[in-house]
Amino acid sequence: MDSGSDAPPLTPAGRRIVDAAEELFYERGITAVGVDLIAEHSGVTKRTLYNRFGSKDGLVAAYLAERDRRWRSEVRAAVDAGGSAAEAVTAPFEALRSWTSRYTRGCAFLNALAELPDPRHPGHRVAAEQKRWLLSLFEELATAAGCCEPPTLATRLFVLHEGAVATGPLSPGTVAAAADLARELVRAAVRG
């Protein structure tokens, strides 16, 4: 599933709302930000916000879907630029290196999962789907590279990636270290 692919294109006001929500939710937290503040920052009325997104929950899902769309695009570009099939397996780590240089407050999806523990919340669903997509991508890339035990390797790479995402704000070197370890795991799986 491509997150957000079934959503209609945003109007200019809708774009301003999502952009304001992204900035505020990412910097302050989803539960700490109300629709009044988002409406004020986006220059629209609350009525416009509700007409476009239905609720704050709908806006949270739209914000996460937009961020997911950008993340997937960045990962796909890194995979396409990856050279060999084995190098492509670790491309999400290269995308992460670039992504975390711009977004330094951690992972918006992990943050959303922590703030929105109810799996029925539309924002929780988008964030969880983003994580499932990445795990699936690792398995797909590992299979294409001829790695032994692609599901096991994919799980290990996913755990390593998510660990780097979670610890990156504390120590910038963890992303590079995780990328190095991921390459070692892939080399061993290709030889194995």
Side-chain angles (χ1 to χ4, degrees), residues 46-138:
K46 283 191 337 184
R47 181 178 180 173
T48 299
L49 187 151
Y50 284 119
N51 283 342
R52 174 58 182 96
F53 299 99
S55 65
K56 179 181 174 184
D57 290 351
L59 178 55
V60 169
Y63 141 66
L64 290 169
E66 176 63 18
R67 194 169 184 96
D68 182 31
R69 183 195 60 73
R70 287 195 321 272
W71 166 244
R72 290 183 194 211
S73 178
E74 194 153 326
V75 170
R76 285 187 187 108
V79 168
D80 292 344
S84 73
E87 290 170 336
V89 180
T90 59
F93 288 90
E94 296 311 315
L96 181 62
R97 191 183 313 241
S98 171
W99 186 267
T100 57
S101 71
R102 296 187 316 275
Y103 301 105
T104 58
R105 291 186 51 82
C107 177
F109 305 106
L110 289 177
N111 296 345
L113 290 169
E115 285 194 72
L116 310 169
D118 183 351
R120 295 170 300 186
H121 189 288
H124 180 102
R125 289 193 305 263
V126 172
E129 175 56 28
Q130 187 275 330
K131 298 305 178 186
R132 285 190 290 273
W133 172 82
L134 185 59
L135 176 59
S136 177
L137 178 66
F138 276 128

Side-chain angles (χ1 to χ4, degrees), residues 35-53:
V35 293
D36 289 329
L37 185 59
I38 295 166
E40 178 186 324
H41 275 252
S42 61
V44 302
T45 64
K46 283 191 337 184
R47 181 178 180 173
T48 299
L49 187 151
Y50 284 119
N51 283 342
R52 174 58 182 96
F53 299 99

Side-chain angles (χ1 to χ4, degrees), residues 152-167:
T152 300
L153 177 61
T155 298
R156 289 176 178 163
L157 293 172
F158 178 72
V159 168
L160 185 59
H161 187 276
E162 294 305 294
V165 167
T167 60

